[in-house]
Amino acid sequence: MDDPRERFTDLYDRHYRSVLGYALLRAEHGVAEDVASEAFLIAWRRLDEVPDPPLPWLLGVARNLLAKQRDSRHRGKALVDRIAALTTPRDQVDWDVADHVVDREHALAALARLPERDVEAMALATWHGLPPDQAAAVMGCSTRTYNVRLHRARRRLEKALRAEPGAARPYTGAVGHPFLEEA
Amino acid sequence: MPSSPPSPRDPDREQHMTDRLFAALRPRALDEVAEEAYGRRRAGDLARAFDAPHTPSGRSARARGRSRRPSLILAGTAAAGLAAAVVLVPGLVSDDASPGRAPIQAGSPSTPPVASATPLDARSVLLAAAETAAREPADSGRYWYTRTRTDSLIRDLPGAYEARLDELLRQREAAKGDAGGDDAAEKAAEKEFEREVGRLKRESARSAGPPFAAATSETSETWRARDKGGTNRGVTRPAPEATFASAADEARWKAMGSPELVPDRRTRTYEDDLDRVLSIDNPGLTIRNVSKLPTRKEALRGRLRDMYEASPGRRGQADAGFAAYLWQTGTDLLTSPITPGTRAALFRVLAEQPGITSTGRAGDVFGREGVALSTTTPGDETTRGDVEYRMILDEGTAELLQIEVRDERPLPLLSQAFERTGWVDRLGERPAG
């Protein structure tokens, strides 16, 4: 269908939740909603410039809006604070069932020590499921640069996890952790 | 999974573990929060977008010159500042913050209040409704069910007109008796009677009405058979008591000796196999052909024009009558089993109509909330001031919740709330949900 309103409604119905989910992990709830709505208003105004697939473009617009919003003092901790704000008891239950190598709080603490760009590189890959070229488009860098960031982010996170005092359970692979094979 | 136990320092294994752990940090509530916000903000976001100029592309936009409205967002800045953006995205004024459903606002509690909050224009609301309607699944069944509550302003005390007419009849008989066979006297009595009846009728039409504002209410359920010759059923239950606009109105009614306002509280039921009309202005529309109306805006507008020309109610009306016709016929169609495509086209036709304004959020008699759209026409000797026709649309589902006809009186002359419509397969059955 060539009708711009129909195209836009499709775009909104498919991607609003992803865009808001992205913003919710970077800004407080009310701000996140406004950012998501504003990102779609921009998409409407520039509908013919929206590429395919549209999600990286939309997340990039939201990212820019958030950058204007953001209090720079909070950078490092912002994501961890947002995760904490959105955490419910079910998350703890899930965590326990999955039998991770560290406690959830300790994992969050490790995350809080990472540079924000590293966390973002990982989030785009694991939470949003974006392949490197699309994640790079969101972050406004080359695919190569993104891959380097992602690699560095994983290394830093592994290191931070090992350094966490709560990492009491030694990393033993599957041995002694029956759930691990099923998880 | 590898068959042998991995070594503790296997880099792939470690990376997989790290990713898995990272992935698990994503709060589960996130999806529900996003889903809830999606449902709450969708209609407003769509309407706001359609209210804003849409630039086809950089080059062709320049070629076509400026858009009709000033472009508020700086050209080419995806990163338009949010502070500016909030001002650029006016929200609906929320004058009713009742719980249950959050009002649509550009500014949420966390952001500074929006200074320039103005109601979305009716066109945007209708265009957004069209998009929503087009996405509803088509449905079918053997009977089209509607449940409607109708509230009518009491414009005359029930029985008052009849009582005065009886009195005039008695006077006439008395005068004729006095005439004692005198032809001229009898004719004079007859003339006098006719004059008095004429005056009574005019007075009644112009009547200031009772000195209190109150309405009667009834709930009608109808089942219309889809198949020709099938049995239709209608059940109408009057509410036992009238409702007053205020305690003062009720006090004035009591001061009059509490005259009866609901003379007949009996439930009225009909069952027949007639081809009942769906729309008084459009006797050609039936439950069977209403689903075959055009699904494109231009075609539907043309068909509505044709139906208007053929409408029995049109008799000698000026062209301005089309707006009023469209309003009433639109209401009839929105509560009929038209296809999602026709619904969408109908909203688009309505969006083109001049003179329809959005008056912000409003509740219906059941407390359901929506956006009120209205159009005003000059009144006549039976109304007080102009007459406002109003529809309340649920912008989330594009459903018509209620229509109202108002003048300057405190209660609507008429309001109809469409509580439930849908297909069922048996008489007496109601749609689920």
Side-chain angles (χ1 to χ4, degrees):
Chain A
M1 252 291 128
D2 216 25
D3 178 26
R5 283 196 292 268
E6 207 162 305
R7 259 200 294 152
F8 178 75
T9 306
D10 255 352
L11 188 74
Y12 190 93
D13 286 345
R14 281 172 205 271
H15 299 299
Y16 175 85
R17 285 157 281 209
S18 299
V19 174
L20 178 63
Y22 175 85
L24 275 170
L25 286 168
R26 282 153 190 83
E28 185 277 323
H29 193 150
V31 174
E33 280 194 19
D34 286 345
V35 163
S37 296
E38 175 62 11
F40 277 97
L41 188 61
I42 290 169
W44 165 254
R45 289 174 189 268
R46 305 173 60 191
L47 196 56
D48 288 2
E49 295 168 44
V50 178
D52 192 33
L55 185 61
W57 187 92
L58 286 165
L59 294 182
V61 172
R63 186 176 190 267
N64 285 335
L65 290 170
L66 286 161
K68 301 267 168 180
Q69 249 315 281
R70 191 68 79 72
D71 183 339
S72 54
R73 284 172 304 172
H74 285 162
R75 287 210 164 191
K77 261 184 91 241
L79 178 81
V80 172
D81 287 348
R82 291 304 302 146
I83 290 177
L86 289 158
T87 294
T88 58
R90 278 183 313 162
D91 290 309
Q92 191 56 53
V93 172
D94 289 353
W95 190 272
D96 292 344
V97 167
D99 198 25
H100 291 288
V101 291
V102 294
D103 292 343
R104 198 164 180 279
E105 309 92 81
H106 292 119
L108 284 173
L111 214 57
R113 289 206 297 273
L114 296 193
E116 191 184 29
R117 278 186 172 178
D118 286 6
V119 177
E120 187 173 16
M122 288 206 70
L124 291 171
T126 59
W127 291 349
H128 299 278
L130 296 185
D133 59 322
Q134 293 185 23
V138 176
M139 293 186 76
C141 62
S142 72
T143 306
R144 220 179 86 81
T145 306
Y146 171 79
N147 279 328
V148 169
R149 273 186 200 161
L150 182 63
H151 180 69
R152 191 182 59 201
R154 282 183 176 131
R155 272 205 340 256
R156 281 181 174 163
L157 184 59
E158 283 155 17
K159 217 173 135 201
L161 286 170
R162 278 199 297 270
E164 265 305 310
R169 286 175 272 183
Y171 190 80
T172 56
V175 181
H177 292 269
F179 289 115
L180 217 58
E181 289 298 316
E182 293 150 30
Chain B
M1 281 289 159
S3 53
S4 59
S7 82
R9 296 252 69 88
D10 177 349
D12 282 350
R13 173 80 185 173
E14 194 152 357
Q15 174 182 320
H16 170 76
M17 287 297 302
T18 310
D19 281 7
R20 197 172 72 90
L21 182 140
F22 187 94
L25 284 173
R26 186 177 185 275
R28 271 175 64 155
L30 201 58
D31 293 330
E32 287 151 36
V33 170
E35 190 65 39
E36 183 276 330
Y38 167 74
R40 175 163 45 79
R41 292 193 68 123
R42 180 180 185 275
D45 281 353
L46 292 183
R48 260 191 296 278
F50 299 159
D51 195 30
H54 159 242
T55 316
S57 75
R59 217 160 60 87
S60 59
R62 268 193 293 281
R64 276 181 219 173
R66 285 161 304 173
S67 68
R68 282 171 294 111
R69 292 172 217 225
S71 179
L72 294 171
I73 290 217
L74 301 173
T77 43
L82 192 70
V86 171
V87 178
L88 299 178
V89 188
L92 278 168
V93 174
S94 168
D95 49 8
D96 186 349
S98 68
R101 190 155 174 174
I104 298 171
Q105 287 175 313
S108 51
S110 60
T111 51
V114 181
S116 60
T118 51
L120 287 169
D121 70 53
R123 185 174 163 276
S124 308
V125 171
L126 289 163
L127 289 177
E131 294 299 331
T132 300
R135 281 165 170 73
E136 293 297 314
D139 198 8
S140 192
R142 290 188 58 213
Y143 297 91
W144 179 250
Y145 172 83
T146 63
R147 181 179 167 93
T148 309
R149 175 166 145 184
T150 304
D151 288 32
S152 313
L153 184 76
I154 298 173
R155 298 175 73 169
D156 279 302
L157 283 178
Y161 178 87
E162 290 77 3
R164 287 192 58 194
L165 192 63
D166 285 347
E167 176 61 23
L168 289 177
L169 281 166
R170 266 198 302 279
Q171 284 173 9
R172 182 182 68 169
E173 294 316 307
K176 280 186 177 172
D178 289 349
D182 180 341
D183 252 16
E186 270 187 25
K187 267 195 178 136
E190 189 63 35
K191 259 214 155 83
E192 170 71 10
F193 171 75
E194 279 169 14
R195 201 163 46 236
E196 286 300 316
V197 170
R199 184 191 295 170
L200 172 61
K201 281 184 175 167
R202 283 193 303 278
E203 270 179 19
S204 175
R206 272 199 300 264
S207 157
F212 55 84
T216 56
S217 170
E218 58 185 34
T219 298
S220 292
E221 291 180 284
T222 62
W223 287 262
R224 288 172 202 274
R226 186 194 55 203
D227 298 332
K228 199 173 176 72
T231 304
N232 306 300
R233 180 185 293 174
V235 181
T236 300
R237 295 182 179 82
E241 306 300 337
T243 50
F244 293 89
S246 69
D249 287 299
E250 186 164 7
R252 281 193 289 276
W253 169 70
K254 281 185 175 152
M256 290 175 73
S258 307
E260 183 58 74
L261 298 177
V262 188
D264 192 348
R265 292 181 170 78
R266 283 173 298 182
T267 296
R268 308 190 295 277
T269 305
Y270 70 76
E271 245 177 57
D272 61 37
D273 56 5
L274 304 172
D275 234 358
R276 287 191 163 257
V277 290
L278 280 174
S279 172
I280 291 172
D281 287 336
N282 306 285
L285 282 182
T286 70
I287 196 88
R288 282 174 297 287
N289 66 20
V290 77
S291 60
K292 296 184 179 72
L293 284 171
T295 56
R296 300 213 62 86
K297 180 184 72 181
E298 288 76 17
L300 182 65
R301 188 180 43 216
R303 179 72 66 81
L304 287 166
R305 267 277 165 197
D306 293 346
M307 294 193 319
Y308 169 65
E309 299 296 335
S311 168
R314 198 189 154 224
R315 282 192 302 271
Q317 277 205 33
D319 202 46
F322 184 63
Y325 163 84
L326 199 55
W327 197 261
Q328 182 58 54
T329 297
T331 301
D332 296 339
L333 290 179
L334 288 174
T335 54
S336 298
I338 54 177
T339 60
T342 302
R343 279 180 79 82
L346 179 58
F347 281 122
R348 292 188 180 112
V349 170
L350 287 171
E352 288 178 344
Q353 289 303 302
I356 299 180
T357 54
S358 165
T359 50
R361 297 193 68 78
D364 74 357
V365 294
F366 301 115
R368 299 177 299 183
E369 262 192 67
V371 180
L373 304 180
S374 76
T375 186
T376 301
T377 62
D380 60 23
E381 60 178 11
T382 69
T383 66
R384 285 193 210 159
D386 291 345
V387 179
E388 182 197 357
Y389 296 86
R390 200 181 200 211
M391 43 170 84
I392 303 176
L393 284 176
D394 180 335
E395 69 273 41
T397 60
E399 272 177 287
L400 179 60
L401 299 179
Q402 180 165 301
I403 56 150
E404 290 167 16
V405 184
R406 293 175 168 275
D407 62 6
E408 286 166 4
R409 280 171 270 217
L411 290 176
L413 302 172
L414 176 78
S415 88
Q416 279 193 304
F418 306 103
E419 193 177 356
R420 198 107 186 80
T421 56
W423 286 107
V424 295
D425 284 324
R426 278 181 299 280
L427 271 181
E429 190 185 337
R430 296 180 179 90

